[in-house]
């Protein structure tokens, strides 16, 4: 098991190994920026993290057939990996599979109810399906969490 420090800055997640002090962490943020972020220690299996990174790489390479396969593998290794549920939801949203995306966001929120990014993402998808009141509620919840 690897312990990661999950840093939330605006609507992006950045991870760096916990306990490290560097001028720039692998996520591309400075220590100064890190002082304004919410930090949460999460435990992720090495296999789940490996497949999560493969999914993100496949997405950047525009390889849609592998993206969901890798997200599914990551989640089979660690069903409690909220960030993977969130990112899978983002990808499903991008593919137009909005109901499946909402299901992923709901699962992620059960695991990490205090994650502002998941609330924002769910709100944006709800807007796309025409559920504007629910969308506004989710986005407002994300704002509350983001500003403390």
């Amino acid at each position: 098991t690897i312990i990661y420090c999950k840093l939330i800055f605006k609507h992006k997640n950045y991870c760096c190994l916990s306990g490290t002090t560097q001028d720039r962490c692998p996520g591309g943020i400075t220590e100064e920026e890190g002082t304004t972020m919410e930090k949460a220690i999460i435990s992720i299996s090495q296999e789940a993290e490996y497949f999560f990174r493969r999914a993100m790489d496949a997405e950047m390479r525009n390889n849609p057939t592998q993206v969901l396969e890798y997200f599914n593998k990551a989640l089979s290794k660690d069903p409690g990996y909220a960030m993977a549920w969130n990112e899978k939801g983002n990808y499903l949203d991008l593919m137009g599979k909005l109901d499946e995306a909402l299901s992923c966001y709901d699962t992620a929120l059960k695991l990490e109810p205090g994650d502002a990014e998941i609330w924002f993402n769910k709100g944006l998808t709800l807007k796309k399906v025409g559920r504007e009141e629910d969308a506004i509620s989710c986005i407002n919840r994300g704002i509350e969490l983001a500003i403390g």
Side-chain angles (χ1 to χ4, degrees):
T1 300
I2 299 176
I3 304 294
Y4 281 94
C5 178
K6 178 177 148 192
L7 304 173
I8 301 168
F9 183 61
K10 295 189 179 179
H11 308 301
K12 304 280 183 192
N13 281 332
Y14 302 97
C15 294
C16 60
L17 288 172
S18 66
T20 62
T21 53
Q22 305 170 11
D23 290 335
R24 292 198 78 74
C25 80
I29 57 166
T30 64
E31 280 189 279
E32 183 179 315
E33 291 168 328
T35 61
T36 63
M37 298 177 193
E38 172 187 351
K39 296 180 182 181
I41 302 301
I42 56 176
S43 176
I44 303 165
S45 76
Q46 288 180 338
E47 290 178 301
E49 178 65 15
Y50 169 78
F51 288 118
F52 176 79
R53 289 180 186 273
R54 294 290 306 263
M56 298 302 286
D57 288 343
E59 187 173 358
M60 288 186 347
R61 287 190 321 269
N62 208 12
N63 190 343
T65 58
Q66 289 187 329
V67 175
L68 289 176
E69 175 188 341
Y70 286 132
F71 277 133
N72 290 336
K73 285 182 179 182
L75 292 166
S76 73
K77 300 295 180 187
D78 189 348
Y81 194 172
M83 189 185 322
W85 284 109
N86 181 54
E87 292 299 333
K88 180 180 177 183
N90 289 344
Y91 192 73
L92 289 165
D93 179 297
L94 184 66
M95 294 175 55
K97 298 181 177 185
L98 304 179
D99 289 335
E100 290 178 58
L102 289 170
S103 177
C104 288
Y105 296 138
D106 287 340
T107 300
L109 286 169
K110 286 178 187 169
L111 298 166
E112 294 273 346
D115 190 313
E117 180 182 4
I118 302 168
W119 285 104
F120 285 123
N121 291 338
K122 182 178 179 180
L124 294 173
T125 302
L126 286 167
K127 173 91 167 94
K128 289 179 183 179
V129 297
R131 294 173 50 192
E132 294 206 16
E133 285 185 33
D134 291 336
I136 291 168
S137 177
C138 285
I139 291 168
N140 284 340
R141 179 67 181 136
I143 291 170
E144 289 170 10
L145 291 167
I147 62 174

